[in-house]
């Protein structure tokens, strides 16, 4: 009655225990071996998997539509300053500060195109009048000198401000980006200016 069970009788119990141990739920804190995707990424992957076109023409059509919608969003972002859809060259806090720094000041370079038109008209009339030709040449030289001096001042101040405000951010090409923006008339700049004249960023 109290004799020990045989090995054959113990075997099924051991098998059941082993099966239960293998079928136990995984510890939720145990690592999975892969990072959990974000909800937006998972939804995008599911959407792509559900809408994968089988026809090559259909795939090309969808690609064109996606490119068109991306460009439309980008144009809206350039007008509104929405960081999410801006081109890569305009993204980031450093580039935004550079734009605000340039847009808050008067720069002689932004009047380059109107002054160039005036000087061109004077030079055309200067073919008949030697004095007008000399005046147009002097104006052209003066404009270039003023733009160079003003650009050097902007370069020094902007570089100093970037070093103070963004010591740990990559600033490569930021000053050149700002100087190129000064060459554009304020109303034609893209992304559109988000600060007023005299308003410090």
């Amino acid at each position: 009655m109290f004799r020990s069970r045989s090995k054959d009788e113990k075997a099924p119990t051991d098998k059941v225990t082993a099966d239960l141990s293998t079928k136990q739920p995984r510890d939720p804190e145990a690592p999975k071996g892969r990072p959990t995707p974000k909800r937006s990424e998972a939804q995008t992957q599911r959407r792509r998997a559900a809408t994968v076109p089988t026809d090559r023409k259909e795939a090309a059509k969808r690609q064109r539509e996606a490119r068109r919608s991306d460009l439309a969003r980008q144009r809206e972002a350039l007008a509104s300053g929405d960081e999410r859809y801006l081109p890569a060259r305009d993204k980031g806090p450093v580039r935004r500060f550079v734009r605000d720094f340039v847009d808050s000041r008067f720069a002689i370079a932004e009047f380059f195109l109107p002054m160039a038109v005036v000087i061109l008209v004077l030079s055309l009339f200067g073919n008949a009048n030697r004095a007008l030709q000399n005046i147009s040449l002097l104006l052209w030289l003066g404009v270039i000198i003023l733009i160079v001096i003003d650009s050097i001042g902007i370069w020094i101040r902007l570089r100093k401000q970037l070093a103070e405000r963004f010591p740990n951010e990559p600033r490569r090409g930021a000053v050149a980006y700002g100087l190129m923006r000064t060459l554009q008339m304020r109303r034609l700049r893209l992304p559109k200016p988000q600060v007023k004249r005299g308003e410090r960023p």
Side-chain angles (χ1 to χ4, degrees):
M1 188 170 73
F2 297 104
R3 72 173 184 272
S4 62
R5 295 180 182 177
S6 65
K7 291 180 181 178
D8 294 336
E9 291 175 347
K10 284 183 179 179
T13 311
D14 293 342
K15 284 181 182 178
V16 171
T17 310
D19 290 342
L20 287 172
S21 64
T22 56
K23 291 181 180 179
Q24 282 181 350
R26 187 181 63 81
D27 184 5
E29 295 184 3
K32 292 185 297 185
R34 58 182 175 81
T36 303
K38 293 181 180 178
R39 180 178 291 180
S40 58
E41 292 175 1
Q43 287 175 349
T44 305
Q45 288 173 359
R46 282 198 298 271
R47 209 174 292 125
R48 283 178 183 168
T51 59
V52 173
T54 54
D55 185 14
R56 186 178 291 179
K57 287 184 179 179
E58 183 66 22
K61 182 182 176 183
R62 290 191 184 185
Q63 199 171 15
R64 283 196 302 271
E65 288 174 356
R67 194 181 301 119
R68 200 176 295 121
S69 64
D70 287 344
L71 287 172
R73 277 201 302 264
Q74 198 174 93
R75 280 194 298 270
E76 290 175 8
L78 288 170
S80 64
D82 190 349
E83 287 277 342
R84 293 173 298 171
Y85 305 115
L86 284 176
R89 68 182 177 85
D90 298 311
K91 278 186 177 178
V94 174
R95 296 299 171 103
R96 183 178 181 85
F97 174 77
V98 170
R99 290 196 301 273
D100 291 346
F101 181 90
V102 170
D103 295 337
S104 65
R105 290 164 169 77
F106 278 101
I108 296 172
E110 68 183 278
F111 303 108
F112 173 76
L113 284 177
M115 287 189 290
V117 171
V118 171
I119 292 168
L120 182 63
V121 170
L122 285 174
S123 64
L124 289 175
F125 285 111
N127 292 331
N129 191 332
R130 188 73 178 175
L132 276 177
Q133 192 174 18
N134 290 335
I135 290 170
S136 64
L137 286 172
L138 286 172
L139 279 173
W140 189 248
L141 185 63
V143 165
I144 290 173
I145 290 171
L146 287 173
I147 288 173
V148 169
I149 293 170
D150 190 43
S151 297
I152 291 171
I154 290 171
W155 180 75
I156 292 169
R157 291 195 301 271
L158 182 55
R159 194 174 176 188
K160 183 180 177 183
Q161 289 283 327
L162 287 172
E164 289 176 1
R165 291 177 181 245
F166 306 98
N168 301 319
E169 294 279 343
R171 304 187 298 275
R172 185 181 177 86
V175 177
Y177 173 77
L179 292 177
M180 288 299 295
R181 192 170 174 85
T182 61
L183 290 170
Q184 301 166 339
M185 295 178 69
R186 182 182 169 88
R187 67 179 64 185
L188 301 178
R189 290 173 184 169
L190 290 174
K192 293 286 186 185
Q194 302 295 312
V195 295
K196 296 178 181 178
R197 300 269 195 193
E199 184 181 342
R200 292 292 177 258

